[in-house]
């Protein structure tokens, strides 16, 4: 059964992901032929939950770092509404 992975992020987020994949690809290639596909590329084409999780954590990372390392008086109020 063929699964279709759907990217739920922006074009810029997709480009960042593809750059990271290119930098960390461990596919086995010989004379332009792919002999073995690495785990990163396998995940990208087979695991919707993992792709969604990467996107979710990318969007959450800045907030989590802020909550952990910025003094409370510099953080936006928890109940503040973004305009």
């Amino acid at each position: 059964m063929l699964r279709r992975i759907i990217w739920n992020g922006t074009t810029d987020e997709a480009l960042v992901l593809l750059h990271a994949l290119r930098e960390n690809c461990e596919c086995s290639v010989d004379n332009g032929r792919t002999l073995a596909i690495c785990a990163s590329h396998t995940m990208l084409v087979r695991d919707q939950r993992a792709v969604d999780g990467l996107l979710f954590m990318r969007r959450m990372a800045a907030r989590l770092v802020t909550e952990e390392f910025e003094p409370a008086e510099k953080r936006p109020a928890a109940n503040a509404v973004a305009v």
Side-chain angles (χ1 to χ4, degrees):
M1 183 170 147
L2 182 64
R3 283 191 203 160
R4 184 177 183 147
I5 302 299
I6 298 173
W7 179 249
N8 294 307
T10 66
T11 301
D12 287 340
E13 290 167 331
L15 292 173
V16 169
L17 175 61
L18 293 175
H19 176 72
L21 275 170
R22 184 179 65 229
E23 293 295 316
N24 296 288
C25 177
E26 295 179 347
C27 290
S28 178
V29 179
D30 184 35
N31 293 328
R33 294 185 64 198
T34 303
L35 303 176
I37 299 173
C38 69
S40 300
H41 279 104
T42 300
M43 178 220 47
L44 189 64
V45 298
R46 290 191 179 168
D47 194 344
Q48 181 73 53
R49 184 171 181 237
V51 172
D52 290 342
L54 287 171
L55 182 61
F56 174 77
M57 284 312 301
R58 176 177 165 70
R59 291 176 176 176
M60 290 291 295
R63 180 179 138 204
L64 295 173
V65 168
T66 299
E67 288 175 357
E68 186 69 25
F69 297 107
E70 272 195 24
E73 61 273 1
K74 288 190 176 184
R75 286 188 238 151
N79 60 357
V81 177
V83 179

